[in-house]
């Protein structure tokens, strides 16, 4: 009997990919904290994940050759963050908020890795007959 990895791993591989991309976006925000007129970007993880997943747990793609625009990520639009205190130079990056979002995303990335690791450990135990 073949192992169906989509059923075994669930949404965690797709969640890892989205968490990785979100960390790149947040890191870009932090790198541009002093750039005039830079607008902080982010994505709503839940909505992006639900948009990219179909009912069976596969990534939803219309054609392999399609490219996304510069303001999209896996088919979802990047959102601009509303600053609590915008700077005079037009920059909307607030370092303390970006750092907390980055740390939160890193913890959630580690959790997804741990879930996948546990699933593989369970599969290996089943294969060995333990």
């Amino acid at each position: 009997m073949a192992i169906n990895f989509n059923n075994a791993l669930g949404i965690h591989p797709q969640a890892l990919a989205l968490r990785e991309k979100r960390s790149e976006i947040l890191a870009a925000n932090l790198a541009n904290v002093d750039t005039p007129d830079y607008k902080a970007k982010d994505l709503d993880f839940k909505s992006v994940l639900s948009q990219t997943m179909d009912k069976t747990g596969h990534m939803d793609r219309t054609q392999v050759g399609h490219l996304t625009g510069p303001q999209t990520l896996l088919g979802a639009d990047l959102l601009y963050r509303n600053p609590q205190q915008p700077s005079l130079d037009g920059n909307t990056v607030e370092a303390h908020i970006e750092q907390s979002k980055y740390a939160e995303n890193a913890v959630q990335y580690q959790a997804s890795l741990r879930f996948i690791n546990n699933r593989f450990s369970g599969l290996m135990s089943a294969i060995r007959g333990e």
Side-chain angles (χ1 to χ4, degrees):
M1 182 165 127
I3 296 174
N4 184 339
F5 285 106
N6 290 330
N7 290 339
L9 300 178
I11 65 167
H12 297 294
Q14 291 82 5
L16 275 178
L18 287 174
R19 294 273 176 220
E20 177 187 353
K21 294 299 181 186
R22 185 168 185 228
S23 67
E24 291 174 9
I25 293 166
L26 295 172
N29 288 346
L30 284 168
N32 288 292
V33 71
D34 292 325
T35 304
D37 291 323
Y38 184 83
K39 307 298 182 215
K41 299 177 193 98
D42 200 357
L43 57 91
D44 181 14
F45 182 81
K46 285 183 182 180
S47 68
V48 173
L49 187 61
S50 67
Q51 287 174 4
T52 57
M53 301 291 291
D54 65 12
K55 303 264 189 261
T56 61
H58 294 82
M59 295 298 281
D60 188 21
R61 294 175 57 179
T62 57
Q63 287 191 10
V64 177
H66 283 179
L67 299 175
T68 59
Q71 297 301 315
T72 61
L73 174 68
L74 297 175
D77 292 331
L78 290 177
L79 305 173
Y80 291 104
R81 192 180 313 282
N82 291 327
Q84 294 176 358
Q85 288 195 315
S87 64
L88 294 175
D89 65 359
N91 187 311
T92 62
V93 177
E94 295 171 301
H96 63 285
I97 291 175
E98 298 301 323
Q99 289 170 343
S100 68
K101 296 287 184 187
Y102 190 87
E104 176 187 8
N105 190 61
V107 167
Q108 292 167 341
Y109 183 87
Q110 288 294 326
S112 289
L113 278 177
R114 190 166 301 219
F115 286 132
I116 289 175
N117 187 29
N118 289 342
R119 295 283 176 106
F120 275 120
S121 295
L123 289 173
M124 291 301 294
S125 295
I127 290 171
R128 288 187 205 120
E130 296 174 356

